[in-house]
Amino acid sequence: MALEVTGEYTLPLQRETVWWHLNDPAFLQRCIPGCESFERLSENEFAVVTKLTVGPVSARFKGKVILQNIDAPRGYTLVGEGEGGLAGFAKGNAMVTLVEVAEGTHLSYRAEAQIGGKIAQLGQRLIAGAAKKIADRFFANCADALVYR
């Protein structure tokens, strides 16, 4: 099952500050919903463990996140994949764009995800709602952490 989620935020911070935080593993771990660990494997690759609940299915996903198409400080693509045991798998990417605006920095994202296994059997409406909620929570967490740090 394929999903697409988009969103945007305006942050009252300089683009370079936002960029720096979006490349900090500790910051990203704090912002990813349910993230239990976020460890650097190489300059742009990270091992991630996240616990997620979608409807009646709860699972711990273990996987990787890779930063690609890096265009500092304008944006990058986050590419991730994870296995959740019997719950299934998830993989996807999020293109993150940072634009300087009078108020600070405009952050926008477009995420695409594919899921399979037991979690995909819950139905597209429930999965789409959960994916949107998770992506929005991540970027809202980022915005809150940046603004109220």
Side-chain angles (χ1 to χ4, degrees):
M1 174 182 307
L3 307 163
E4 185 172 312
V5 180
T6 61
E8 55 187 54
Y9 293 87
T10 299
L11 306 166
L13 298 165
Q14 291 183 336
R15 181 168 62 176
E16 288 75 16
T17 301
V18 175
W19 174 257
W20 185 85
H21 281 86
L22 289 177
N23 284 275
D24 176 31
F27 178 82
L28 292 172
Q29 181 174 351
R30 285 196 327 262
C31 296
I32 296 171
C35 189
E36 296 177 352
S37 69
F38 195 96
E39 299 175 15
R40 186 180 296 275
L41 299 175
S42 67
E43 183 178 351
N44 297 319
E45 185 176 4
F46 306 89
V48 181
V49 177
T50 303
K51 185 173 182 183
L52 295 174
T53 300
V54 178
V57 178
S58 182
R60 179 172 279 111
F61 286 84
K62 295 178 182 180
K64 289 184 183 179
V65 171
I66 301 169
L67 307 181
Q68 296 180 342
N69 306 320
I70 298 169
D71 183 16
R74 293 174 198 80
Y76 58 34
T77 303
L78 289 151
V79 178
E81 60 182 44
E83 290 287 332
L86 293 176
F89 71 89
K91 62 182 177 177
N93 63 70
M95 294 188 322
V96 179
T97 304
L98 303 174
V99 177
E100 291 182 44
V101 295
E103 300 87 359
T105 301
H106 182 79
L107 180 153
S108 61
Y109 69 89
R110 183 173 62 83
E112 298 173 348
Q114 295 178 342
I115 58 168
K118 186 176 183 179
I119 204 164
Q121 297 171 1
L122 295 174
Q124 186 160 355
R125 181 177 284 169
L126 179 63
I127 297 299
K132 173 82 171 136
K133 183 177 176 182
I134 291 166
D136 282 345
R137 185 76 258 147
F138 169 73
F139 286 104
N141 288 348
C142 288
D144 289 346
L146 286 166
V147 174
Y148 302 110
R149 53 192 163 109

